[in-house]
Amino acid sequence: MLILAMLVLGLSAGWAAHLMVGRGEPNWARLLFAGLAGSFVGGTLASLLAGDGFDIRPSGLIGSIVGAVVVLLAFRALGEKPASPPR
């Protein structure tokens, strides 16, 4: 049950991040990865900095979304190809 909750939270954080920075159709696999990675890094860091520990609190949820935004922006920066020079 915990794994299912983590998947749903990660997909939700990725979807919320896509609403903030995304363009076009969402790639659900990428959103799931971004949400899980963002939740792990951003959510854990925000929860520990706020003094909440590892309990589910708003600071951890906000940190999860912020972390997912950072991961999606990194995907975008690494994934774009430079334009070819005109001939």
Side-chain angles (χ1 to χ4, degrees):
M1 191 67 169
L2 177 65
I3 293 175
L4 181 61
M6 287 173 46
L7 290 175
V8 169
L9 178 65
L11 189 58
S12 299
W15 176 72
H18 174 73
L19 289 178
M20 291 180 202
V21 298
R23 351 171 238 223
E25 291 294 315
N27 179 345
W28 293 105
R30 181 178 283 186
L31 293 181
L32 178 62
F33 178 76
L36 290 175
S39 293
F40 181 71
V41 175
T44 302
L45 188 62
S47 290
L48 291 176
L49 288 176
D52 294 333
F54 290 110
D55 295 334
I56 295 179
R57 302 268 190 230
S59 61
L61 298 175
I62 292 169
S64 296
I65 294 171
V66 170
V69 167
V70 170
V71 171
L72 282 180
L73 289 175
F75 277 157
R76 183 182 292 174
L78 295 174
E80 291 186 8
K81 298 179 177 100
S84 60
R87 292 185 177 198

